Amino acid sequence: MADLKDRIEGLRKTFEAEAFKAGDAKSLEELRTTFLGRKKGHVTLLFEDLKAVPVEDKREAGRLVNAFKTFVQDGLAAVEGRVEETARVSDKATASRLDLTLPGRKIYVGAPHPLVLFQQEIENIFLGMGFAIEEGPEIETDYYNFEALNFPPHHPARDSWDTLYIKDDLLLRTHTSPVQIRVMEKKKPPIRIIIPGRVFRRETPDPTHLPMFMQIEGLVVDRGATFAHLKGTLEYFIRALFGEKIKVRFRPSFFPFTEPSAEVDIECIVCGGKDESCRVCGGTGWKEILGSGMVNPQVLKNVNIDPEEYSGWAFGLGIDRTAMFAYGITEMRHFYENDLRFLRQFGAK
Ligand code: 2NL
């Protein structure tokens, strides 16, 4: 009996020491096997040894072994509770490193290019006056780019030093006017359209010239369309774009596709006409921003519109050139280099 008591006392101390150390599910299971394992567990062996205990001691010995078994079971339950709590707290600590209240990271999706923004600004002014937007091909034939627009056969613009040819009769359009011819062929007047788009010329790049740039042209064809409508519409457009107070002047000019023709100047907003060596206006105080005129009757004939019944007026403007002037940019190549330090100044994030 004394023997058994000592053995149980030793096992109790061992169990307590091991239970104190057990910190995870694995060591808990090892402890359970060591004490309650069905073959060699300490408690199992104690029950087996009971068989050899003399009859008079059996009752007491059984009580002691059973009490120890309960002690081990309670101890294991306590360790199990502690292991679970430790795991739960450490999960919570991990979870708490994720601050769900922080704002999300923005995904960069890009932004409209400054030339697109400027083009839309122009478009919106004309849309407000009832114009429609039309587009057309960038690769054209000699007929649409020159012939239908009344360019004489040996006009210098047709030269391969000025125009980019793909083959004999296929070229990169040098202006958006061929789209106006295509629209007039298809639709009956009244016509009130603007045509934005890329155009191409054989240029050596410099701060104000590139072989590819943007143009926007407008065309009105109707009964009784006059130069007064041209002038009033373009003045309204310029004031909407540059402000009510801007000075505007019309100067006689020449284009093969218009007669009479006029170029439109506005006061130089860079120097205000006060700098004799201004690089933008050359000291004149005026900046040309539009070409315009009454559609040449020959052009109307070319698209089967009767010039005795209808008249038209048209204009053209360089988007890049005008944006440079509006924003005080001195280098056209900035628009096409996609340097974010440049682009971000126009609202791109
Ligand atoms: C300029 C000059 C201009 C036009 C474009 C046009 C088109 C047809 C008929 C008549 Cl189909 N005219 N367009 C007219 C006058 C000037 O552009 O300096 N552009 C940058």
Side-chain angles (χ1 to χ4, degrees):
M1 259 317 266
D3 246 351
L4 187 69
K5 271 190 183 164
D6 285 345
R7 254 178 79 201
I8 288 177
E9 197 43 43
L11 285 172
R12 184 194 300 275
K13 283 194 175 126
T14 309
F15 180 83
E16 274 173 348
E18 293 296 321
F20 183 76
K21 280 194 284 177
D24 55 28
K26 187 165 169 270
S27 48
L28 169 67
E29 277 323 297
E30 279 170 7
L31 189 60
R32 193 191 302 281
T33 311
T34 307
F35 282 86
L36 300 179
R38 281 201 205 176
K39 281 190 177 154
K40 289 189 223 152
H42 293 305
V43 174
T44 312
L45 294 175
L46 282 173
F47 275 111
E48 261 169 43
D49 291 350
L50 274 182
K51 291 173 194 154
V53 171
V55 180
E56 63 274 24
D57 292 330
K58 261 212 168 81
R59 237 180 114 83
E60 175 64 355
R63 201 187 56 77
L64 287 172
V65 174
N66 268 316
F68 182 63
K69 186 185 178 183
T70 305
F71 169 79
V72 168
Q73 283 171 332
D74 290 347
L76 288 171
V79 171
E80 185 167 25
R82 196 183 68 215
V83 165
E84 273 172 14
E85 175 66 6
T86 308
R88 202 175 63 77
V89 168
S90 89
D91 276 355
K92 222 170 131 186
T94 307
S96 71
R97 279 194 276 276
L98 274 178
D99 184 350
L100 299 180
T101 69
L102 286 172
R105 269 185 214 131
K106 279 216 178 86
I107 295 169
Y108 184 63
V109 291
H113 189 277
L115 284 179
V116 172
L117 292 173
F118 196 65
Q119 177 183 319
Q120 288 172 345
E121 224 176 291
I122 295 169
E123 286 171 355
N124 286 336
I125 297 169
F126 283 102
L127 288 173
M129 291 191 278
F131 283 71
I133 299 172
E134 293 277 358
E135 285 180 309
E138 292 177 1
I139 295 174
E140 273 294 1
T141 59
D142 175 86
Y143 179 78
Y144 284 105
N145 197 78
F146 295 123
E147 191 73 27
L149 287 155
N150 204 37
F151 281 78
H154 297 288
H155 191 280
R158 288 179 129 150
D159 194 287
S160 66
W161 286 100
D162 286 334
T163 296
L164 293 155
Y165 284 88
I166 290 167
K167 19 182 189 174
D168 272 357
D169 189 35
L170 224 44
L171 50 84
L172 296 179
R173 67 181 183 192
T174 60
H175 43 193
T176 53
S177 313
V179 185
Q180 310 191 12
I181 298 295
R182 290 175 183 279
V183 171
M184 286 191 287
E185 280 180 345
K186 275 204 320 254
K187 297 187 181 171
K188 284 194 154 62
I191 291 168
R192 224 183 278 111
I193 55 170
I194 51 168
I195 299 103
R198 262 188 244 261
V199 298
F200 309 84
R201 289 185 195 171
R202 189 161 174 178
E203 300 270 12
T204 302
D206 72 26
T208 55
H209 297 87
L210 288 175
M212 181 191 82
F213 55 100
M214 304 281 298
Q215 200 185 31
I216 193 157
E217 280 189 280
L219 173 73
V220 171
V221 181
D222 204 350
R223 288 192 182 90
T226 71
F227 198 95
H229 302 135
L230 179 161
K231 190 162 185 277
T233 306
L234 293 184
E235 278 177 355
Y236 175 88
F237 160 66
I238 288 167
R239 294 191 202 292
L241 193 61
F242 286 99
E244 284 301 317
K245 294 199 185 82
I246 195 97
K247 285 194 200 119
V248 183
R249 75 177 185 187
F250 284 70
R251 252 183 318 105
S253 186
F254 175 83
F255 300 106
F257 32 83
T258 48
E259 181 60 34
S261 304
E263 282 175 307
V264 188
D265 300 339
I266 61 174
E267 70 183 290
C268 181
I269 54 172
V270 174
C271 76
K274 292 188 179 86
D275 180 2
E276 280 177 19
S277 57
C278 177
R279 289 208 274 137
V280 172
C281 68
T284 64
W286 293 97
K287 177 76 179 164
E288 180 217 320
I289 67 155
L290 284 157
S292 67
M294 299 306 294
V295 178
N296 191 309
Q298 184 59 49
V299 174
L300 293 177
K301 279 186 205 158
N302 293 344
V303 291
N304 285 318
I305 292 177
D306 181 1
E308 298 298 326
E309 187 179 355
Y310 291 102
S311 55
W313 53 270
F315 61 91
L317 153 154
I319 297 176
D320 312 52
R321 270 158 36 82
T322 309
M324 286 173 70
F325 182 62
Y327 298 131
I329 296 161
T330 53
E331 171 60 75
M332 192 181 279
R333 278 168 284 203
H334 285 322
F335 285 129
Y336 297 96
E337 283 172 346
N338 285 330
D339 185 330
L340 288 174
R341 291 169 301 177
F342 174 77
L343 298 177
R344 286 201 173 109
Q345 296 177 65
F346 300 87
K349 288 282 133 41

Short mmCIF file of all heavy atoms in Angstrom, two decimals, residues 144-189:
data_model
loop_
_atom_site.label_atom_id
_atom_site.label_comp_id
_atom_site.label_asym_id
_atom_site.label_seq_id
_atom_site.Cartn_x
_atom_site.Cartn_y
_atom_site.Cartn_z
N TYR A 144 -10.00 62.55 -101.77
CA TYR A 144 -10.64 63.14 -100.59
C TYR A 144 -9.75 64.16 -99.90
O TYR A 144 -10.23 65.13 -99.33
CB TYR A 144 -11.06 62.05 -99.61
CG TYR A 144 -12.30 61.32 -100.06
CD1 TYR A 144 -12.23 60.03 -100.59
CD2 TYR A 144 -13.54 61.94 -99.99
CE1 TYR A 144 -13.36 59.37 -101.03
CE2 TYR A 144 -14.69 61.29 -100.42
CZ TYR A 144 -14.60 60.02 -100.94
OH TYR A 144 -15.72 59.38 -101.37
N ASN A 145 -8.43 63.92 -99.92
CA ASN A 145 -7.54 64.82 -99.18
C ASN A 145 -7.24 66.10 -99.96
O ASN A 145 -7.03 67.16 -99.36
CB ASN A 145 -6.24 64.11 -98.82
CG ASN A 145 -5.46 64.84 -97.72
OD1 ASN A 145 -5.80 64.73 -96.55
ND2 ASN A 145 -4.43 65.59 -98.10
N PHE A 146 -7.21 66.02 -101.32
CA PHE A 146 -6.82 67.18 -102.13
C PHE A 146 -7.83 67.53 -103.23
O PHE A 146 -8.34 68.65 -103.28
CB PHE A 146 -5.45 66.93 -102.78
CG PHE A 146 -4.32 66.83 -101.78
CD1 PHE A 146 -3.52 65.68 -101.74
CD2 PHE A 146 -4.03 67.87 -100.91
CE1 PHE A 146 -2.46 65.59 -100.83
CE2 PHE A 146 -2.97 67.78 -100.01
CZ PHE A 146 -2.19 66.63 -99.97
N GLU A 147 -8.09 66.56 -104.12
CA GLU A 147 -8.86 66.84 -105.35
C GLU A 147 -10.23 67.45 -105.06
O GLU A 147 -10.56 68.52 -105.58
CB GLU A 147 -9.01 65.52 -106.13
CG GLU A 147 -9.55 65.69 -107.53
CD GLU A 147 -8.54 66.30 -108.49
OE1 GLU A 147 -7.32 66.12 -108.25
OE2 GLU A 147 -8.98 66.96 -109.45
N ALA A 148 -11.00 66.79 -104.20
CA ALA A 148 -12.36 67.27 -103.90
C ALA A 148 -12.33 68.62 -103.19
O ALA A 148 -13.32 69.35 -103.21
CB ALA A 148 -13.10 66.23 -103.05
N LEU A 149 -11.19 68.94 -102.59
CA LEU A 149 -11.07 70.21 -101.85
C LEU A 149 -10.49 71.32 -102.71
O LEU A 149 -10.09 72.37 -102.20
CB LEU A 149 -10.21 69.99 -100.59
CG LEU A 149 -10.93 69.19 -99.49
CD1 LEU A 149 -9.92 68.50 -98.58
CD2 LEU A 149 -11.84 70.11 -98.68
N ASN A 150 -10.44 71.06 -104.04
CA ASN A 150 -10.08 72.11 -104.98
C ASN A 150 -8.59 72.48 -104.98
O ASN A 150 -8.22 73.59 -105.38
CB ASN A 150 -10.93 73.36 -104.71
CG ASN A 150 -11.06 74.25 -105.93
OD1 ASN A 150 -11.16 73.74 -107.05
ND2 ASN A 150 -11.05 75.56 -105.73
N PHE A 151 -7.75 71.54 -104.49
CA PHE A 151 -6.31 71.77 -104.61
C PHE A 151 -5.93 71.57 -106.07
O PHE A 151 -6.28 70.53 -106.65
CB PHE A 151 -5.51 70.76 -103.76
CG PHE A 151 -5.45 71.08 -102.29
CD1 PHE A 151 -6.53 70.81 -101.45
CD2 PHE A 151 -4.30 71.64 -101.73
CE1 PHE A 151 -6.46 71.09 -100.08
CE2 PHE A 151 -4.23 71.92 -100.37
CZ PHE A 151 -5.32 71.65 -99.54
N PRO A 152 -5.23 72.53 -106.71
CA PRO A 152 -4.82 72.31 -108.10
C PRO A 152 -3.81 71.16 -108.20
O PRO A 152 -3.18 70.80 -107.21
CB PRO A 152 -4.17 73.65 -108.49
CG PRO A 152 -3.91 74.38 -107.22
CD PRO A 152 -4.85 73.84 -106.19
N PRO A 153 -3.68 70.55 -109.39
CA PRO A 153 -2.87 69.32 -109.55
C PRO A 153 -1.44 69.45 -109.01
O PRO A 153 -0.90 68.47 -108.50
CB PRO A 153 -2.85 69.11 -111.06
CG PRO A 153 -4.07 69.80 -111.56
CD PRO A 153 -4.34 70.95 -110.64
N HIS A 154 -0.83 70.60 -109.10
CA HIS A 154 0.56 70.69 -108.66
C HIS A 154 0.75 71.58 -107.45
O HIS A 154 1.82 72.14 -107.22
CB HIS A 154 1.46 71.15 -109.82
CG HIS A 154 1.46 70.15 -110.94
ND1 HIS A 154 2.10 68.93 -110.83
CD2 HIS A 154 0.85 70.15 -112.15
CE1 HIS A 154 1.90 68.23 -111.93
NE2 HIS A 154 1.14 68.95 -112.76
N HIS A 155 -0.30 71.64 -106.62
CA HIS A 155 -0.21 72.41 -105.37
C HIS A 155 0.93 71.84 -104.51
O HIS A 155 1.09 70.62 -104.40
CB HIS A 155 -1.54 72.33 -104.61
CG HIS A 155 -1.63 73.28 -103.45
ND1 HIS A 155 -1.05 73.02 -102.23
CD2 HIS A 155 -2.23 74.50 -103.34
CE1 HIS A 155 -1.28 74.04 -101.40
NE2 HIS A 155 -2.00 74.95 -102.05
N PRO A 156 1.75 72.71 -103.88
CA PRO A 156 2.91 72.23 -103.10
C PRO A 156 2.56 71.26 -101.97
O PRO A 156 3.37 70.40 -101.63
CB PRO A 156 3.54 73.52 -102.57
CG PRO A 156 2.58 74.62 -102.85
CD PRO A 156 1.72 74.18 -103.98
N ALA A 157 1.35 71.38 -101.39
CA ALA A 157 0.97 70.47 -100.30
C ALA A 157 0.94 69.02 -100.77
O ALA A 157 1.12 68.10 -99.97
CB ALA A 157 -0.39 70.87 -99.73
N ARG A 158 0.71 68.83 -102.11
CA ARG A 158 0.63 67.46 -102.64
C ARG A 158 2.01 66.84 -102.79
O ARG A 158 2.13 65.63 -102.99
CB ARG A 158 -0.04 67.47 -104.01
CG ARG A 158 -1.53 67.74 -103.92
CD ARG A 158 -2.13 67.77 -105.30
NE ARG A 158 -3.29 66.90 -105.38
CZ ARG A 158 -4.32 67.13 -106.18
NH1 ARG A 158 -4.33 68.17 -106.99
NH2 ARG A 158 -5.34 66.31 -106.17
N ASP A 159 3.04 67.65 -102.67
CA ASP A 159 4.41 67.18 -102.83
C ASP A 159 4.74 66.14 -101.76
O ASP A 159 4.26 66.21 -100.63
CB ASP A 159 5.37 68.37 -102.68
CG ASP A 159 6.75 68.06 -103.16
OD1 ASP A 159 7.46 67.29 -102.47
OD2 ASP A 159 7.13 68.57 -104.23
N SER A 160 5.55 65.14 -102.16
CA SER A 160 5.91 64.09 -101.19
C SER A 160 6.84 64.62 -100.09
O SER A 160 7.15 63.90 -99.15
CB SER A 160 6.55 62.91 -101.91
OG SER A 160 7.78 63.32 -102.46
N TRP A 161 7.29 65.86 -100.22
CA TRP A 161 8.06 66.45 -99.14
C TRP A 161 7.15 67.06 -98.07
O TRP A 161 7.60 67.38 -96.98
CB TRP A 161 9.02 67.54 -99.65
CG TRP A 161 10.18 66.91 -100.36
CD1 TRP A 161 10.33 66.77 -101.70
CD2 TRP A 161 11.30 66.28 -99.74
NE1 TRP A 161 11.49 66.10 -101.97
CE2 TRP A 161 12.12 65.78 -100.79
CE3 TRP A 161 11.71 66.07 -98.41
CZ2 TRP A 161 13.31 65.10 -100.55
CZ3 TRP A 161 12.89 65.40 -98.17
CH2 TRP A 161 13.68 64.92 -99.24
N ASP A 162 5.87 67.21 -98.39
CA ASP A 162 4.93 67.78 -97.41
C ASP A 162 3.92 66.75 -96.90
O ASP A 162 3.44 66.84 -95.79
CB ASP A 162 4.16 68.94 -98.05
CG ASP A 162 5.04 70.17 -98.21
OD1 ASP A 162 5.99 70.30 -97.42
OD2 ASP A 162 4.77 70.98 -99.12
N THR A 163 3.62 65.77 -97.75
CA THR A 163 2.59 64.79 -97.42
C THR A 163 3.21 63.41 -97.30
O THR A 163 4.09 63.05 -98.08
CB THR A 163 1.50 64.79 -98.52
OG1 THR A 163 0.86 66.07 -98.52
CG2 THR A 163 0.46 63.71 -98.28
N LEU A 164 2.76 62.63 -96.31
CA LEU A 164 3.27 61.27 -96.10
C LEU A 164 2.43 60.29 -96.92
O LEU A 164 1.27 60.04 -96.61
CB LEU A 164 3.23 60.92 -94.61
CG LEU A 164 4.21 61.75 -93.75
CD1 LEU A 164 3.75 61.83 -92.30
CD2 LEU A 164 5.62 61.17 -93.82
N TYR A 165 3.05 59.74 -97.99
CA TYR A 165 2.34 58.81 -98.88
C TYR A 165 2.59 57.37 -98.45
O TYR A 165 3.70 57.00 -98.05
CB TYR A 165 2.81 59.00 -100.32
CG TYR A 165 2.20 60.25 -100.95
CD1 TYR A 165 2.82 61.49 -100.82
CD2 TYR A 165 1.00 60.17 -101.65
CE1 TYR A 165 2.26 62.64 -101.37
CE2 TYR A 165 0.42 61.31 -102.20
CZ TYR A 165 1.06 62.54 -102.06
OH TYR A 165 0.49 63.65 -102.60
N ILE A 166 1.54 56.55 -98.55
CA ILE A 166 1.67 55.11 -98.30
C ILE A 166 1.95 54.42 -99.63
O ILE A 166 2.83 53.59 -99.74
CB ILE A 166 0.40 54.56 -97.63
CG1 ILE A 166 0.33 55.12 -96.20
CG2 ILE A 166 0.40 53.04 -97.61
CD1 ILE A 166 -0.99 54.93 -95.51
N LYS A 167 1.18 54.76 -100.67
CA LYS A 167 1.53 54.46 -102.05
C LYS A 167 0.98 55.59 -102.92
O LYS A 167 0.49 56.58 -102.38
CB LYS A 167 1.06 53.09 -102.53
CG LYS A 167 -0.05 52.43 -101.74
CD LYS A 167 -0.37 51.07 -102.32
CE LYS A 167 -1.64 50.51 -101.68
NZ LYS A 167 -2.10 49.28 -102.26
N ASP A 168 1.07 55.40 -104.22
CA ASP A 168 0.69 56.48 -105.15
C ASP A 168 -0.58 57.22 -104.75
O ASP A 168 -0.61 58.44 -104.68
CB ASP A 168 0.50 55.90 -106.56
CG ASP A 168 1.83 55.91 -107.31
OD1 ASP A 168 2.82 56.42 -106.74
OD2 ASP A 168 1.86 55.39 -108.45
N ASP A 169 -1.64 56.44 -104.51
CA ASP A 169 -2.93 57.08 -104.28
C ASP A 169 -3.44 56.88 -102.85
O ASP A 169 -4.63 56.93 -102.59
CB ASP A 169 -3.96 56.54 -105.29
CG ASP A 169 -5.24 57.36 -105.21
OD1 ASP A 169 -5.15 58.59 -104.98
OD2 ASP A 169 -6.33 56.76 -105.33
N LEU A 170 -2.51 56.59 -101.93
CA LEU A 170 -2.91 56.37 -100.54
C LEU A 170 -1.96 57.17 -99.65
O LEU A 170 -0.74 57.05 -99.77
CB LEU A 170 -2.82 54.88 -100.21
CG LEU A 170 -3.96 54.24 -99.41
CD1 LEU A 170 -5.33 54.68 -99.91
CD2 LEU A 170 -3.83 52.74 -99.45
N LEU A 171 -2.55 57.99 -98.77
CA LEU A 171 -1.71 58.90 -97.97
C LEU A 171 -2.28 59.05 -96.57
O LEU A 171 -3.43 58.66 -96.31
CB LEU A 171 -1.63 60.25 -98.67
CG LEU A 171 -2.95 60.90 -99.11
CD1 LEU A 171 -3.61 61.66 -97.98
CD2 LEU A 171 -2.70 61.84 -100.29
N LEU A 172 -1.47 59.58 -95.66
CA LEU A 172 -1.97 59.92 -94.33
C LEU A 172 -2.60 61.31 -94.45
O LEU A 172 -1.96 62.24 -94.94
CB LEU A 172 -0.83 59.94 -93.31
CG LEU A 172 -0.15 58.58 -93.07
CD1 LEU A 172 0.98 58.72 -92.05
CD2 LEU A 172 -1.17 57.54 -92.59
N ARG A 173 -3.85 61.46 -94.05
CA ARG A 173 -4.56 62.72 -94.25
C ARG A 173 -3.77 63.87 -93.63
O ARG A 173 -3.20 63.75 -92.55
CB ARG A 173 -5.98 62.65 -93.67
CG ARG A 173 -6.02 62.53 -92.15
CD ARG A 173 -7.44 62.44 -91.65
NE ARG A 173 -7.48 62.40 -90.19
CZ ARG A 173 -8.57 62.09 -89.49
NH1 ARG A 173 -9.71 61.78 -90.09
NH2 ARG A 173 -8.52 62.09 -88.17
N THR A 174 -3.73 64.99 -94.36
CA THR A 174 -2.95 66.14 -93.88
C THR A 174 -3.84 67.12 -93.12
O THR A 174 -3.37 68.10 -92.54
CB THR A 174 -2.30 66.88 -95.06
OG1 THR A 174 -3.34 67.33 -95.95
CG2 THR A 174 -1.34 65.97 -95.81
N HIS A 175 -5.15 66.88 -93.17
CA HIS A 175 -6.13 67.66 -92.41
C HIS A 175 -7.39 66.80 -92.26
O HIS A 175 -7.44 65.70 -92.83
CB HIS A 175 -6.44 69.01 -93.10
CG HIS A 175 -6.62 68.92 -94.59
ND1 HIS A 175 -6.65 70.02 -95.41
CD2 HIS A 175 -6.80 67.85 -95.42
CE1 HIS A 175 -6.82 69.65 -96.66
NE2 HIS A 175 -6.91 68.34 -96.69
N THR A 176 -8.37 67.27 -91.48
CA THR A 176 -9.59 66.46 -91.32
C THR A 176 -10.65 66.80 -92.37
O THR A 176 -11.72 66.20 -92.38
CB THR A 176 -10.17 66.60 -89.89
OG1 THR A 176 -10.35 67.98 -89.59
CG2 THR A 176 -9.26 65.96 -88.85
N SER A 177 -10.33 67.72 -93.28
CA SER A 177 -11.29 68.12 -94.32
C SER A 177 -11.85 66.96 -95.15
O SER A 177 -13.03 67.01 -95.54
CB SER A 177 -10.65 69.15 -95.26
OG SER A 177 -10.00 70.16 -94.53
N PRO A 178 -11.05 65.89 -95.46
CA PRO A 178 -11.64 64.79 -96.23
C PRO A 178 -12.88 64.21 -95.56
O PRO A 178 -13.78 63.71 -96.25
CB PRO A 178 -10.50 63.76 -96.34
CG PRO A 178 -9.42 64.22 -95.43
CD PRO A 178 -9.60 65.69 -95.26
N VAL A 179 -12.94 64.26 -94.23
CA VAL A 179 -14.14 63.75 -93.53
C VAL A 179 -15.35 64.63 -93.87
O VAL A 179 -16.47 64.12 -94.03
CB VAL A 179 -13.92 63.69 -92.00
CG1 VAL A 179 -15.13 63.05 -91.31
CG2 VAL A 179 -12.64 62.95 -91.65
N GLN A 180 -15.11 65.94 -94.02
CA GLN A 180 -16.22 66.83 -94.37
C GLN A 180 -16.75 66.51 -95.76
O GLN A 180 -17.96 66.52 -96.01
CB GLN A 180 -15.75 68.29 -94.31
CG GLN A 180 -15.03 68.59 -92.99
CD GLN A 180 -14.78 70.06 -92.77
OE1 GLN A 180 -15.31 70.91 -93.47
NE2 GLN A 180 -13.97 70.36 -91.78
N ILE A 181 -15.83 66.19 -96.70
CA ILE A 181 -16.25 65.78 -98.04
C ILE A 181 -17.11 64.50 -97.94
O ILE A 181 -18.18 64.41 -98.54
CB ILE A 181 -15.01 65.51 -98.94
CG1 ILE A 181 -14.19 66.80 -99.12
CG2 ILE A 181 -15.45 64.94 -100.30
CD1 ILE A 181 -14.90 67.92 -99.86
N ARG A 182 -16.64 63.53 -97.15
CA ARG A 182 -17.37 62.27 -97.00
C ARG A 182 -18.77 62.51 -96.42
O ARG A 182 -19.75 61.89 -96.84
CB ARG A 182 -16.60 61.29 -96.11
CG ARG A 182 -15.34 60.75 -96.77
CD ARG A 182 -14.53 59.87 -95.82
NE ARG A 182 -13.31 59.41 -96.46
CZ ARG A 182 -13.26 58.37 -97.30
NH1 ARG A 182 -14.36 57.68 -97.58
NH2 ARG A 182 -12.12 58.01 -97.85
N VAL A 183 -18.87 63.41 -95.44
CA VAL A 183 -20.18 63.70 -94.84
C VAL A 183 -21.10 64.38 -95.85
O VAL A 183 -22.27 64.03 -95.98
CB VAL A 183 -20.02 64.56 -93.56
CG1 VAL A 183 -21.40 65.04 -93.06
CG2 VAL A 183 -19.30 63.79 -92.46
N MET A 184 -20.54 65.37 -96.61
CA MET A 184 -21.37 66.08 -97.60
C MET A 184 -21.85 65.15 -98.72
O MET A 184 -22.92 65.35 -99.28
CB MET A 184 -20.61 67.28 -98.19
CG MET A 184 -20.48 68.44 -97.21
SD MET A 184 -19.87 69.95 -97.97
CE MET A 184 -18.15 69.58 -98.24
N GLU A 185 -21.02 64.12 -99.05
CA GLU A 185 -21.45 63.14 -100.06
C GLU A 185 -22.65 62.34 -99.57
O GLU A 185 -23.51 61.95 -100.35
CB GLU A 185 -20.31 62.14 -100.35
CG GLU A 185 -19.24 62.67 -101.29
CD GLU A 185 -18.13 61.64 -101.54
OE1 GLU A 185 -18.04 60.64 -100.77
OE2 GLU A 185 -17.36 61.83 -102.48
N LYS A 186 -22.68 62.06 -98.28
CA LYS A 186 -23.69 61.16 -97.71
C LYS A 186 -24.97 61.87 -97.28
O LYS A 186 -26.05 61.33 -97.38
CB LYS A 186 -23.10 60.47 -96.46
CG LYS A 186 -22.31 59.22 -96.74
CD LYS A 186 -22.26 58.28 -95.51
CE LYS A 186 -22.09 58.99 -94.19
NZ LYS A 186 -20.73 58.85 -93.60
N LYS A 187 -24.80 63.09 -96.72
CA LYS A 187 -25.95 63.74 -96.07
C LYS A 187 -26.37 65.00 -96.80
O LYS A 187 -25.55 65.75 -97.32
CB LYS A 187 -25.60 64.06 -94.60
CG LYS A 187 -25.32 62.82 -93.78
CD LYS A 187 -25.15 63.13 -92.31
CE LYS A 187 -24.84 61.83 -91.56
NZ LYS A 187 -24.45 62.07 -90.18
N LYS A 188 -27.65 65.26 -96.75
CA LYS A 188 -28.19 66.48 -97.35
C LYS A 188 -28.10 67.61 -96.34
O LYS A 188 -28.21 67.40 -95.14
CB LYS A 188 -29.66 66.26 -97.70
CG LYS A 188 -29.92 65.42 -98.95
CD LYS A 188 -31.37 65.59 -99.37
CE LYS A 188 -31.58 65.34 -100.85
NZ LYS A 188 -31.24 63.97 -101.27
N PRO A 189 -27.91 68.87 -96.82
CA PRO A 189 -27.97 70.00 -95.90
C PRO A 189 -29.37 70.08 -95.26
O PRO A 189 -30.32 69.58 -95.88
CB PRO A 189 -27.71 71.21 -96.79
CG PRO A 189 -27.13 70.66 -98.06
CD PRO A 189 -27.69 69.28 -98.21
#
